[in-house]
Amino acid sequence: LTVNQGAVEIYGTVKNITLADGCPIKVWAVGDEATFNTALAKGAKTIQLKNDISAWDTVCLISHDLAVNGKGYTITGSATRLFRITTENTDVKFNDINLVNTSTSEDARCISFDNTSSNSSLYVENCSLTDPEGKAIFATPASNLLIDIKDSEISAWAAINITANNSTINVTNSVLKGRNPKQVVSPAVTYGTIVFDGNNNLGGYASNNCLNIYNSTIYAIEPNENIQAWLALQNGAQNNIIKLDEATRCLNGNDESINTRIIIDNSYDVKSVIWIGGAFVYPGYEASIGSKYYVTLAEALAAVQAGETVQILKSGEYTLEKLTGANYTLEAVAEGVVLKHTP
């Protein structure tokens, strides 16, 4: 097939294709891994499945904007990563598709970001991702990523695992299931359905991220004595903001059991904030002004501008020295806040 002018949509079988400059492939419908990779290499903007693909045994590298429309079909594979986003400023969309990773490696992933993928976005809508031994969505320490999950179900050891920085993760109308698959050892293996992992590199991994979960359910499943929390902030993950609104946390698949277990590595000062239904569960900062958070109340008072409100997020006694500057408001969000003024 030779295309000299205009865009092309491919729904049949094409062994060879030649494209003139400026002639994009708008849609390519595929039925096997080899044709999928050919379509990707030729720059197809949208790849559409026309049947299930069960022999997916290599890693698919995504290096340009791409939409994958599964049409309800399933890709099943044993590669340690089914898809890797490798370049920066890349938008990738998965819609109406089931991804199943059958690898037995704990390093297995359905979709992952490379370190070189900063400023890229991943949209997952009306999808099912299954990765029993690994992490379904994994973000390596790139920066300014966007992960947007809607109307989907994700099941894995960790449904979402973040080591990226300065990134936003949104989960809406979805189900996240984390199941600890490890054999019982001493001490018990602990992990989370949602994990922020600092990799013992303070400020270099899993820092300054924002996770928003709305109208969704988070399961933490413990088939034995190992521990599965709904959230883990570990190995020095810092300055992360986690907000849940109309979200249910369940233990072992019991919708009536509220799972309050959170793993926080207290060997570091994680300085993270966890909101559930508008209330603070773990305040790692003392104060905030709008959407900016401050480690100490003194830092917030030094930065406040006229007409702004300083919210005190952490219970405790605060001694305020001489107050100067423009008029502002002090609001105690946490209970048990005591203010003392030193003239």
Side-chain angles (χ1 to χ4, degrees), residues 4-284:
N4 294 317
Q5 186 175 358
V8 62
E9 298 184 13
I10 303 171
Y11 297 96
T13 300
V14 176
K15 292 184 178 181
N16 296 292
I17 183 170
T18 301
L19 300 170
D21 290 343
C23 296
I25 301 174
K26 188 176 179 181
V27 180
W28 194 327
V30 305
D32 56 70
E33 181 187 15
T35 309
F36 191 107
N37 286 324
T38 298
L40 190 64
K42 292 293 185 179
K45 302 297 184 184
T46 298
I47 297 179
Q48 179 178 299
L49 297 190
K50 54 185 180 181
N51 51 255
D52 293 336
I53 302 176
S54 58
W56 193 280
D57 56 8
T58 59
V59 181
C60 180
L61 305 179
I62 302 176
S63 59
H64 61 77
D65 292 353
L66 177 68
V68 180
N69 185 357
K71 304 290 284 186
Y73 292 115
T74 300
I75 291 177
T76 303
S78 58
T80 52
R81 285 106 169 103
L82 298 185
F83 294 93
R84 275 174 48 196
I85 301 170
T86 62
T87 50
E88 62 183 12
N89 300 306
T90 304
D91 291 335
V92 179
K93 300 177 181 179
F94 287 88
N95 181 63
D96 196 21
I97 192 171
N98 309 306
L99 300 180
V100 180
N101 194 327
T102 60
S103 171
T104 57
S105 169
E106 67 178 44
D107 198 38
R109 302 160 192 174
C110 286
I111 306 170
S112 70
F113 291 84
D114 279 11
N115 295 354
T116 53
S117 62
S118 292
N119 304 305
S120 292
S121 301
L122 170 65
Y123 300 89
V124 176
E125 186 169 0
N126 194 30
C127 294
S128 170
L129 276 60
T130 305
D131 197 339
E133 300 291 332
K135 297 93 177 179
I137 295 178
F138 190 99
T140 55
S143 295
N144 300 310
L145 303 178
L146 171 63
I147 300 173
D148 193 80
I149 302 166
K150 293 180 180 177
D151 303 312
S152 296
E153 181 169 321
I154 302 177
S155 301
W157 185 13
I160 301 172
N161 193 302
I162 302 296
T163 63
N165 303 305
N166 304 305
S167 298
T168 299
I169 306 97
N170 300 318
V171 180
T172 307
N173 301 329
S174 295
V175 175
L176 305 179
K177 292 183 178 179
R179 181 182 186 276
N180 197 318
K182 299 303 175 183
Q183 296 295 318
V184 177
V185 295
S186 181
V189 177
T190 61
Y191 217 60
T193 301
I194 303 166
V195 177
F196 289 83
D197 193 333
N199 199 35
N200 299 309
N201 184 338
L202 292 179
Y205 289 70
S207 295
N208 303 305
N209 300 294
C210 185
L211 168 66
N212 303 295
I213 300 181
Y214 175 72
N215 195 33
S216 297
T217 302
I218 308 165
Y219 291 96
I221 301 171
E222 300 172 340
N224 49 42
E225 289 81 3
N226 289 328
I227 296 171
Q228 184 80 5
W230 74 267
L231 172 68
L233 297 165
Q234 63 187 37
N235 299 326
Q238 286 194 324
N239 301 322
N240 297 294
I241 299 170
I242 295 94
K243 295 183 179 180
L244 276 64
D245 192 4
E246 298 186 23
T248 304
R249 294 154 292 136
C250 302
L251 183 64
N252 289 329
N254 183 356
D255 290 343
E256 302 301 321
S257 173
I258 298 177
N259 180 10
T260 59
R261 182 175 288 155
I262 302 171
I263 298 171
I264 297 177
D265 185 353
N266 288 316
S267 61
Y268 299 98
D269 184 5
V270 298
K271 300 184 181 69
S272 291
V273 173
I274 303 171
W275 300 65
I276 297 178
F280 283 93
V281 173
Y282 184 83

